[in-house]
Amino acid sequence: MHFESKSAAALKKSSRYRSRSLSASSNDSYSSASYTGSSSDEDDVSPREKLQKSSSGFSDFCVKNISQHAFGRREIEIAEQEMPGIMALRRRAGDDKPLKSAKIVGCTHINAQTAVLVETLVELGAQVRWAACNIYSTQNEVAAALAEAGYPVFAWRGETEEDFWWCIDKCVNAEGWQPNMILDDGGDATHLMLKKYPAMFKMIKGIVEESVTGVHRLYQLSKAGKLSVPAMNVNDSVTKTKFDNLYSCRESIIDSLKRTTDMMFGGKQVVLCGYGEVGKGCCQALKGLGCVVYVTEIDPICAIQACMDGFRVVKLNEVVRNVDIVVTATGNKNVVTREHMDKMKSGCVICNMGHSNTEIDVNSLRTPDLTWEKVRSQVDHVIWPDGKRIVLLAEGRLVNLSCSSLPSFVVSITAATQALALIELFNAPHGRYKSDVYLLPKKMDEYVASLHLPTFDAHLTELSDEQAKYMGLNKAGPFKPNYYRY
Ligand SMILES: NC(=O)c1ccc[n+]([C@@H]2O[C@H](COP(=O)([O-])OP(=O)(O)OC[C@H]3O[C@@H](n4cnc5c(N)ncnc54)[C@H](O)[C@@H]3O)[C@@H](O)[C@H]2O)c1
């Protein structure tokens, strides 16, 4: 779903910008994009037309309403409590200042949790300029808190497309500022710098990218020989992926269904389409609450895993008439079709946990014979001529990103991964990384996990010299080969 304002079209014409896609980059970082309630904003005046000044007279920022900063600061403090890993990194590396003289252009969601990352990077010695990677996800009060603390932040909820690029531009191109690192979520800061400021781009030491789409673009650039700097794909770090896909979804599927439908889970029949990481997490949670869970799969390995875990593997058609809930988590399209939905019983709830919003063929429900009734935010009843109604959540978009909040702990994992990737690229001796896309070294991935262990009072066993020798391992890690499947 592409949309483009007139001014953006003009901008595009002049400098070949990509248009913003609501369904693309900005929403595909599971671990920092989330529904976040924000205080209502009282006026329609564009922040670009307002006088921007903090209480100390600082004015190198553009936010919706600087006077909301105290509220934003409290939000950041709450997030800090549940982000032990990134806070530990802040304490451990604060004296060493591993990011001293790093000048980072950041383009991520701007919410309380990412603010903890921004402040950590500064604590580690970096200078930053920050814009939002999504026009809707900024928590205005948090942006205000960052501006009040003296960080150049350019973001507000409900930016136009033109504002969006203007904000990123303000972070890239400022007087006396030559950035040397990019922290991107969706590839937009990278894209703008590469296209509009190629000389500046050449001075970049490294790019850290979080999202699926951004990483995909980096690989494409690299393939086309246009990537002139090293880039780190943090999206596929093992620790982060486990949290995004398995552990986080295990919790948020329940949260999403509860918040939208107030349902009781015990005894409900659920079919989970796809038994990958996301599907496994969802099944585990639903089973734990007493649901009868069925799984559909195309892959015999995942199917046998589902069997071993005690789930019945079925074809959707075999159970679709009886189930109370249908969840898709395949990453595929048209997994639930109109034909399936025609067979569902009245009251059946359908939602999607996968990336694409075409897993459920929602378009097939937009026919004259069916009536849509919005019953709540993110909840539609679709009513058949005979009175049967199915409950469609978030119109088939990712239900947890649309309807639940994201645990700060999950963002702590991502943020610590991003910070370590920046430190690694910034401090790497010349030649360690070429102009290519890399995964975070496993040792650092292990370090991210270890930063979070003290929260659980978890005590790691150390290898003895004899054991290390026997296993052919360094006592400090890495403990697994790269091909190990966790
Ligand atoms: N909601 C979130 O917060 C969140 C978090 C991470 C990933 N995701 C997205 O969720 C999706 C699944 O992620 P994953 O890590 O579990 O991927 P995965 O590849 O591990 O699992 C997907 C599974 O679906 C199966 N599958 C494919 N087509 C199917 C079909 N027609 N019917 C039944 N099964 C089918 C595949 O065999 C695979 O086992 C992806 O689109 C991913 O981007 C969402």
Side-chain angles (χ1 to χ4, degrees), residues 28 30-31 212 241 243-246 248-249 252 272-280 295-300 302-303 328-335 352-356 359 398-401 406:
D28 66 5
Y30 307 110
S31 60
V212 180
T241 310
F243 271 84
D244 270 9
N245 302 24
L246 182 70
S248 183
C249 290
S252 58
L272 221 309
C273 303
Y275 200 67
E277 296 270 302
V278 173
K280 287 182 175 78
V295 165
T296 72
E297 251 302 340
I298 54 162
D299 176 343
C302 297
T328 53
T330 68
N332 206 338
K333 67 187 281 200
N334 291 343
V335 175
N352 168 43
M353 288 288 284
H355 170 66
S356 96
E359 293 212 24
L398 274 100
V399 71
N400 61 336
L401 291 198
L406 192 70

Side-chain angles (χ1 to χ4, degrees), residues 276-314:
E277 296 270 302
V278 173
K280 287 182 175 78
C282 294
C283 283
Q284 207 184 336
L286 291 160
K287 184 181 179 183
L289 287 180
C291 291
V292 178
V293 182
Y294 302 98
V295 165
T296 72
E297 251 302 340
I298 54 162
D299 176 343
I301 298 179
C302 297
I304 196 106
Q305 284 183 303
C307 295
M308 289 296 101
D309 293 337
F311 301 111
R312 284 280 315 279
V313 178
V314 295

Side-chain angles (χ1 to χ4, degrees), residues 40-81:
S40 64
D41 300 303
E42 61 301 322
D43 64 54
D44 291 333
V45 182
S46 164
R48 288 167 66 179
E49 277 148 34
K50 283 185 187 170
L51 177 72
Q52 301 277 359
K53 209 166 242 183
S54 75
S55 60
S56 66
F58 175 67
S59 62
D60 186 14
F61 64 88
C62 192
V63 302
K64 181 77 182 175
N65 186 351
I66 186 71
S67 71
Q68 292 178 336
H69 65 84
F71 179 42
R73 178 54 54 191
R74 283 201 296 277
E75 290 275 314
I76 297 171
E77 283 164 5
I78 293 169
E80 284 174 354
Q81 300 302 315

Side-chain angles (χ1 to χ4, degrees), residues 183-229:
L183 178 55
D184 223 348
D185 182 341
D188 290 321
T190 304
H191 176 80
L192 182 136
M193 208 189 285
L194 184 64
K195 287 275 182 264
K196 201 173 168 190
Y197 304 102
M200 199 184 250
F201 188 75
K202 286 213 173 78
M203 309 289 281
I204 294 289
K205 285 188 86 168
I207 301 167
V208 173
E209 170 60 57
E210 174 181 350
S211 77
V212 180
T213 313
V215 164
H216 181 66
R217 285 177 187 146
L218 284 172
Y219 281 115
Q220 279 178 328
L221 276 179
S222 164
K223 221 169 147 191
K226 291 184 186 157
L227 188 68
S228 54
V229 297

